[in-house]
Amino acid sequence: MSRHEMPRDPACAPRPPASSDPLPALSTGARAATRRRRVRGTTAALLAAVAVVPGAAVAVVAAWTGARAPTPEARSAAPLVAGALRGRAPTAPSRPTPERVTLTVDDEDIAPATLDEQRRRLFGAMRRELALSDEAMRRVEEIFAASPVLGQGNPALSRHPMSRSECRRIRAIAGVEPAREPACGAPGMVPLFDPTRGQTAASARACIDQLEFPNIPCEYPVVHVRAREAALLCRAIGKRICDAHEWEGACAGALREPDVEYAWERPRHEASWHHNLLREKVWSYGPEKNHALCATGSARTPGCPGGGWDRCGSNTYPTGAFPACRSSLGVFDLHGNVAEHMSLPILPGELARHGDRGFTEMKGSWFAFSSMDVHADDCRWRAPAWHGTRLMSKSSHANYHLGFRCCKDVEPP
């Protein structure tokens, strides 16, 4: 989509550092030594507070961050922490000393240094969360190995605005859990149907991933993926690429029949223009556009010319981190985070259930749309033929903000 992006967003440009107060009249070495002594003293006091009072760890975090420590244990530890931060030794109450607790960093929040390391971690998550067979994982790894860039973004450039652990915290507070629909035959998938015509989940003929690939909550989406690779990856794990109308129905909350959604045998540009002219405008979360509800608040890498592995970081959010960015059918991130490859059939025989015979279509929007609204992203809008190749063309489009999700055919009971 590089030719069609807007000029570089001013919000992404480097900003000068803020001015600071003059340094005290100490040499550099003296200042450093004084600071080290203060840090060692404060750290020792904080650790002592954690060791003697249950819940002091919460108060320690609250003291550093300015957050509240609402639990009774944390409140009882607060005087100790306050004293520690003022440089005084804490006075422990007369309580039994509990076992010492070690606070560890969430390993998943440490950014991988290389693409190989990033892929190994991704494959491990897919094995754990998706219950894939060894054969399925072998096929997945072969597809990744054939590409020099396929993954979750260039590790040297990508700066994710939210960590995986923060995403998990948000989902836990909101009570969001992956769907487990037996009819879909895979975790994290929901049925596609049209409730406006009296249909129910029980009559659905297809399911769609709730999240962008790899469809694991709080993982970063796969990017720099060609439409061909997306179709192959979906097939490798027992699914298929979605048709444009399936994505649109998942977003708008009503899956319409293909004969209603496509002007068969018309040229693509003519059919898309006619479709867009008559479409209803609705977003997955409601009738009015509100970018703040979705993963659109990130920024493009300064100097990114509109595409490319070497100049553009994939500054994406973890998938499913915005509970309000959800359709009535239970599908997340249909706006923001990454735009998504889909298949656009021109003839009935090119529907994805018959094989990967359609053309490429891009759906949704991506992570910087709050500051650079490049194109429409309402549910039933269809893009011009920016990615106009056949789905399985080896030259199909790929970019730093472009991912995909999968669908699956099912037989109703």
Side-chain angles (χ1 to χ4, degrees):
M1 195 179 71
S2 58
R3 297 198 310 274
H4 304 273
E5 290 184 350
M6 293 176 65
R8 194 175 93 188
D9 174 41
C12 302
R15 293 182 173 83
S19 59
S20 57
D21 294 332
L23 293 171
L26 289 174
S27 67
T28 302
R31 287 197 303 271
T34 300
R35 186 174 181 179
R36 284 195 297 271
R37 286 194 296 272
R38 288 175 180 171
V39 170
R40 282 197 297 267
T42 300
T43 302
L46 293 173
L47 291 176
V50 172
V52 297
V53 180
V58 177
V60 169
V61 174
W64 281 113
T65 63
R68 295 181 180 179
T71 63
E73 293 84 355
R75 284 196 292 269
S76 68
L80 299 178
V81 176
L85 293 175
R86 290 194 297 269
R88 299 199 303 265
T91 303
S94 56
R95 294 184 182 182
T97 302
E99 294 184 7
R100 194 175 290 272
V101 177
T102 302
L103 303 179
T104 60
V105 176
D106 188 335
D107 290 342
E108 291 186 355
D109 287 345
I110 301 173
T114 67
L115 183 61
D116 284 344
E117 181 185 346
Q118 181 192 96
R119 287 176 173 179
R120 286 195 298 271
R121 288 167 56 171
L122 173 62
F123 298 155
M126 292 178 69
R127 288 189 181 92
R128 289 193 309 272
E129 303 296 332
L130 303 181
L132 297 175
S133 67
D134 290 342
E135 176 59 22
M137 282 307 306
R138 183 191 65 77
R139 292 195 296 268
V140 167
E141 293 180 22
E142 283 182 351
I143 296 166
F144 274 80
S147 168
V149 295
L150 182 56
Q152 293 164 299
N154 185 340
L157 296 177
S158 298
R159 300 292 180 266
H160 300 295
M162 183 188 293
S163 68
R164 293 176 174 91
S165 59
E166 177 67 6
C167 171
R168 287 194 289 269
R169 185 187 71 83
I170 290 170
R171 288 173 63 88
I173 291 173
V176 179
E177 293 286 344
R180 299 195 178 277
E181 294 282 350
C184 293
M189 299 194 82
V190 293
L192 291 173
F193 58 97
D194 187 355
T196 67
R197 295 192 295 140
Q199 295 178 356
T200 66
S203 60
R205 300 295 302 271
C207 293
I208 189 170
D209 285 344
Q210 287 188 293
L211 307 171
E212 297 145 332
F213 190 90
N215 195 33
I216 297 173
C218 298
E219 263 301 333
Y220 299 108
V222 167
V223 291
H224 288 291
V225 56
R226 297 189 182 278
R228 174 186 175 85
E229 293 164 336
L232 292 173
L233 285 166
C234 288
R235 296 288 180 187
I237 61 174
K239 302 178 184 180
R240 59 165 173 80
I241 200 76
C242 301
D243 283 316
H245 79 286
E246 291 175 319
W247 189 98
E248 293 162 4
C251 182
L255 176 68
R256 296 172 180 166
E257 291 298 320
D259 289 345
V260 175
E261 292 289 66
Y262 300 108
W264 300 125
E265 300 183 7
R266 284 191 179 186
R268 176 177 179 174
H269 69 278
E270 178 185 325
S272 294
W273 178 86
H274 189 262
H275 174 92
N276 286 340
L277 181 66
L278 300 177
R279 80 189 190 280
E280 61 171 345
K281 289 188 179 180
V282 63
W283 286 261
S284 64
Y285 45 78
E288 300 294 332
K289 179 167 68 175
N290 184 353
H291 283 321
L293 296 178
C294 298
T296 61
S298 188
R300 193 165 66 173
T301 303
C304 169
W309 167 265
D310 295 327
R311 301 285 297 277
C312 302
S314 298
N315 304 327
T316 51
Y317 291 84
T319 57
F322 290 78
C325 192
R326 175 184 181 273
S327 78
S328 60
L329 294 184
V331 187
F332 295 83
D333 296 332
L334 292 157
H335 318 284
N337 222 16
V338 293
E340 301 174 25
H341 283 298
M342 296 292 140
S343 175
L344 181 70
I346 303 300
L347 301 170
E350 294 173 355
L351 287 163
R353 65 171 178 256
H354 301 309
D356 300 318
R357 301 174 183 175
F359 288 82
T360 59
E361 166 78 356
M362 187 200 71
K363 307 301 294 182
S365 51
W366 44 286
F367 57 77
F369 254 52
S370 285
S371 59
M372 45 186 307
D373 202 342
V374 180
H375 54 74
D377 75 337
D378 55 278
C379 290
R380 297 197 186 274
W381 181 77
R382 288 187 188 163
W386 295 339
H387 311 153
T389 64
R390 284 284 183 178
L391 188 72
M392 298 307 289
S393 169
K394 293 184 178 180
S395 62
S396 56
H397 188 66
N399 214 338
Y400 69 101
H401 56 66
L402 184 55
F404 68 104
R405 75 179 73 210
C406 303
C407 285
K408 185 177 182 182
D409 294 305
V410 297
E411 290 295 332

